[in-house]
Amino acid sequence: MPPPPAPAAQAPRKGVLARIAESRNALGLLFMLPAAAFLIFFLTYPLGLGVWLGFTDTKIGRTGVFIGIENYRWLFDDPVFWLTVFNTLFYTVFASIAKFALGLWLALLLNRHLPFKNVFRAIILLPWVVPTVLSAMAFWWIFDSQFSIISWVLMKLGVIAAPINFLGDPWNARWSVIAANIWRGIPFVAISLLAGLQTIPQSLNEAAAIDGATPWQRFRLVTLPLLTPIIAVVMTFSVLFTFTDFQLIYVLTRGGPVNATHLMATLSFQRAIPGGQLGEGAAIAVAMIPFLLAAILFSFFGLQRRKWQQGND
Amino acid sequence: MARATEDNIGGIEQFESLPRRILTVWLPLAVFVFVLLFPFYWMAITAVKPDNQLTDYNNYSPFWVVGPTLEHMKYLLFETTYPRWMWNTVIVSVASTAISLFASVLAAYAIERLRFRGSRVTGLLIFLAYLVPPSILFIPLAFIVFQVGIFDSRLALILTYPTFLIPFCTWLLMGYFRSIPYELEESALVDGASRWQILTRVVLPLAVPGLISAGIFAFTLSWNEFIYALTFISSSENKTVPVGVLTELVRGDIYEWGALMSGALLGSLPVVILYSFFVDYYVSSMTGAVKE
């Protein structure tokens, strides 16, 4: 049997443009071009470049040479680096737990039938909308060592005798920056979980109530399991952004006192930009990647397991 | 966004007694609102306080202000580079938002509707790009910005901000495009419309809420950005508001809290005003981005 004639021979010749317009693959590629160009040149390439810089002794104004894992060996022996790893984990764990607990509580409150619900929702999102640096400056003033309004109120109430040195004492400073971070993070968690709560049919809750379930049982056995997928996503975001936080610390303490609040991101900045050691700064930034991957994988596989337990989605 | 709120009316909540409701709902809610709003109140009241009242808690109540003054604002607007920082922030935010929207609309349409080979993987990669934090990118980016020769210019920020805006906007718009019935496009295709015509005449008009969401979100995110602006900009007249307020208004050991808080307040106003007009878009895009 003779082969069928090639389509090109029959179809009238078309211009290149017309052919691109008809092919999904070519057109898709064309449409992806602007986004891809930006992301490859300013995201993927710098990511690779950052890893490479971590293996060099590049300084500001001087191209570096490849020095293998020397930066990492140097960091391994650097007590300040390990202190920042500790600080970062401490900051992330406590801030994330508190944001989750308070955010969930707020979401549950807002999920009830309340008058002025939209007003509340609008107010609660405000800390998230205002630029972090600017609201952190308000906290800076609230945490002032001499004129802190918190100290003033506590002194008036007779709880304390002298102003609290919020940002000058290592542990006070750690808890202070965590408090500011929680303040800023609650809206995101609360509004996202509220959206999740609103997709849960009220009838399920009512059925459980009729069967005699207490409010706590209804929360634990009905609401929480249905909310788990969205909790996993929200908390992954929350943990990632807390772990890599920079702005709050930079405004409130710049890592002090005696490095007590230095996070990996702020140490990386300090060593690289004012310190001029680009290679070392890049190595610290790269050292954050395993933690971030672990957080992503944890929630990814956590979600997979849940799906598998529940059978088909 | 599914709205189950209508079902809630009545519900099981009506069996609760009023005192119990006050204790378990209204009191915690009041504490939440107070704590979340107090820093703004403190910021605003400090911004209009005359200098002699700022730290004099013995003769004046710290929570109120006697004879509010606009001195701090005047100082900010006429004796510092503040207006220039505002202008820079506006330019950078508008330009990077426009670029990101353009790129994201095309990308989201391609991934969601053209379904080219590898579109699923591309969608996943875009999502992963969103998870790459700026604090691990700023060092190599500073390197690149320097080599390209745009260091210390607004262009450096306009070109780098899309790296976190495009993933977010694309992801958001993919959700909106998915909600537009495919049949509309098919009939347009049968009628001989080109893909470009379909995108601009059929899909985009229907995706206007999505475009607004993505636009205001991108604008707010650029307005908030700090670490790139801090690293890539060195001269005072090119700084953005967050960086300028922090690096130029804080001098020595004596903090001019009035001016600092005025700067923070004025710098927050544009996004807060924008926010107050589009609250619902904010909420839906925030939750939409999580639920996808």
Side-chain angles (χ1 to χ4, degrees), chain A residues 57-65 278, chain B residues 143:
Chain A
D57 62 352
T58 311
K59 293 184 175 57
I60 283 181
R62 209 198 71 191
T63 320
V65 292
L278 286 177
Chain B
F143 204 78

Side-chain angles (χ1 to χ4, degrees), chain A residues 21 24-25 27-32 34-35 38-39 41-43 45-47 49-50 53 58 63 102-103 105-106 109-115 117-118 120-135 137-142 144 147-149 152-153 183-184 186-189 191-192 195-196 198-202 205-206 209 215 218 230 233-234 237 240-241 244-247 250-251 254 265 268-269 272-273 278 281-282 285-286 288-289 292 296, chain B residues 1-5 7-9 11-13 16 20-21 24-26 28-29 32-33 35-40 42-43 46 54-55 57 62-63 99 102-103 106-107 109-111 113-117 122 126-127 129-133 135-144 147-148 158-160 162-163 166-167 182 195-196 199 217 220-221 223-227 230-231 241-242 245-246 250 255 257 260-261 263-264 267-268 271-272 275 279-280 282-283 286-287 290-291:
Chain A
R24 276 158 179 268
N25 287 335
L27 203 62
L29 218 60
L30 193 70
F31 274 32
M32 282 307 301
F38 268 102
L39 294 182
F41 193 67
F42 290 115
L43 194 128
Y45 170 58
L47 202 59
L49 183 65
L53 282 175
T58 311
T63 320
L102 293 170
W105 189 13
L106 186 54
L109 290 173
L110 288 175
N111 194 40
R112 307 175 68 113
H113 179 58
L114 301 171
K117 195 170 182 162
N118 290 341
F120 281 117
R121 212 180 51 177
I123 289 174
I124 272 148
L125 213 50
L126 264 184
W128 194 86
V129 176
V130 169
T132 311
V133 168
L134 303 180
S135 57
M137 294 191 64
F139 272 93
W140 196 27
W141 174 213
I142 288 173
D144 187 83
F147 302 107
S148 166
I149 186 64
W152 185 81
V153 169
W183 177 85
R184 196 198 172 266
I186 284 178
F188 172 74
V189 176
I191 295 293
S192 308
Q198 291 186 339
T199 60
I200 298 175
Q202 190 67 16
N205 235 317
E206 278 164 15
R218 292 204 303 269
I230 198 159
V233 178
V234 170
F237 278 104
L240 281 178
F241 294 135
T244 57
D245 193 16
F246 173 83
Q247 315 191 9
Y250 190 81
V251 176
R254 303 255 164 128
S268 158
F269 176 84
I273 308 299
L278 286 177
V286 170
M288 291 200 276
I289 297 176
L292 300 179
I296 295 170
Chain B
M1 203 165 82
R3 287 193 179 268
T5 38
D7 305 343
N8 291 356
I9 299 171
I12 37 186
E13 289 170 15
E16 278 175 341
R20 195 189 146 83
R21 219 173 133 74
T24 58
V25 183
W26 290 105
L29 208 53
F32 268 116
V33 169
V35 171
L36 291 177
L37 288 188
F38 181 74
F40 298 122
W42 198 230
M43 191 194 270
T46 308
L54 267 178
T55 53
Y57 293 174
F63 291 106
I99 292 175
F102 173 74
L106 291 179
Y109 183 76
I111 293 170
R113 282 300 158 85
L114 291 177
R115 299 230 172 254
F116 59 94
R117 200 180 303 148
T122 313
I126 295 254
F127 180 68
Y130 182 62
L131 298 178
V132 179
S135 49
I136 67 174
L137 286 180
F138 72 95
I139 296 172
L141 267 179
F143 204 78
I144 294 169
Q147 283 185 330
V148 175
I158 293 171
L159 291 179
T160 49
T163 53
I166 290 177
Y182 208 73
R195 282 288 178 179
W196 180 254
L199 179 62
F217 241 87
T220 313
L221 286 176
W223 195 277
N224 287 356
E225 207 289 326
F226 181 65
I227 193 167
L230 178 71
T231 315
V241 171
V245 170
L246 193 69
V250 180
Y255 304 125
W257 288 112
L260 283 176
M261 290 300 110
S268 311
V271 279
V272 170
Y275 166 72
V279 180
D280 286 332
Y282 261 89
V283 176
M286 232 169 130
T287 54
V290 171
K291 274 195 289 185

Side-chain angles (χ1 to χ4, degrees), chain B residues 231-249:
Chain B
T231 315
F232 307 158
I233 304 293
S234 58
S235 50
S236 176
E237 74 263 23
N238 289 335
K239 284 182 176 167
T240 59
V241 171
V243 179
V245 170
L246 193 69
T247 58
E248 306 272 323
L249 292 183

